[in-house]
Amino acid sequence: MTASGRDVYRETLTGLAETDDRILCFEADLGGRRHPFAERHPDRFFNLGIAEATMVDMAAGLAAAGYKPFLSTFAPFAALRAAESLKLTLGYLGAGVTVVAPYAGVSGAWFGTTHHCLEDVAVLRAIPGVVIAAPYGEEEMRAVIEYAAVSGRPHYVRTGRNAAYRALPGSRAGAGERVPPVVWDHRAGADAVCLVSVGEEATRMCLEARQREPGLGHAHLCYLDHEHLTLAAAQLAAAHRRFVVVEEHRAQGGAAEALALLMPERVVTGVNAGRDWPSEGGDHAEVMARLGLDTAAVITATR
């Protein structure tokens, strides 16, 4: 049975901690009962309640002491409420802290607008040195967490709520290897439009769009920081001339904007959440549709 990104994170981290006693797990009132890490390693599990910035600061101190802290809380609170602490610890200090942010985009739709997060990639991209990942599928999330645990670099990992997917073939060349800058789902001719998907729901929509329009190319990007996007842009520009970047994020500061700057000789357009504020509740798909984020919009953008 395929698991959601946040469940894969918990399971993977719990397993890694079996052989690495430097791994610590922090939660900010989101861990719930029967957290696998808390049950298996209770002396290394800390629930700090609604104190996100304090959680990041504590993790930075423990990273300086040689530990490997992993933090998790709602994406809007990790990226925005704790933004200053992220800048100082992950940015200035380069602390080896990994922030795992579920409920990104509008996946926390039923909780209302305070729990929507359409600005986090823009905030984290503005902090040099942070590895930003938005994995699609179980295998890709596992690869991202395993790399974060051995790299010693600051990470921000974006995921959804309960949606569960299998990663695309090619996400991982072998055990212990990092997800490549570009994961090709389908290579088309150079004149064909290439979809570029970021994150869980955008990748799902691109897969659906390509089923309806088999002539489209499709590349998925897991890593979204400047370093990885620069590598991805070189590969994309060598393969296609026109791109439609799909992301559950605002246009400002998102992947489409970055790729347009990195590929000035190519045509880059985006399907994203635009500038509107979702003002009504609903399930994830309903709120995305009200923002203009659905498979029909992806297909229309390719014409």
Side-chain angles (χ1 to χ4, degrees), residues 280-299:
E280 301 173 29
D283 65 25
H284 192 177
E286 289 171 339
V287 176
M288 285 181 63
R290 283 200 286 273
L291 289 167
L293 271 169
D294 53 30
T295 303
V298 174
I299 294 173

Side-chain angles (χ1 to χ4, degrees), residues 80-121:
L80 298 171
R81 185 176 289 170
E84 183 183 20
S85 290
L86 295 182
K87 171 186 167 184
L88 296 177
T89 60
L90 275 63
Y92 274 89
L93 298 177
V97 172
T98 298
V99 179
V100 178
Y103 293 81
V106 291
S107 60
W110 282 114
F111 295 110
T113 55
T114 56
H115 286 59
H116 295 163
C117 187
L118 296 166
E119 306 82 12
D120 57 334
V121 174

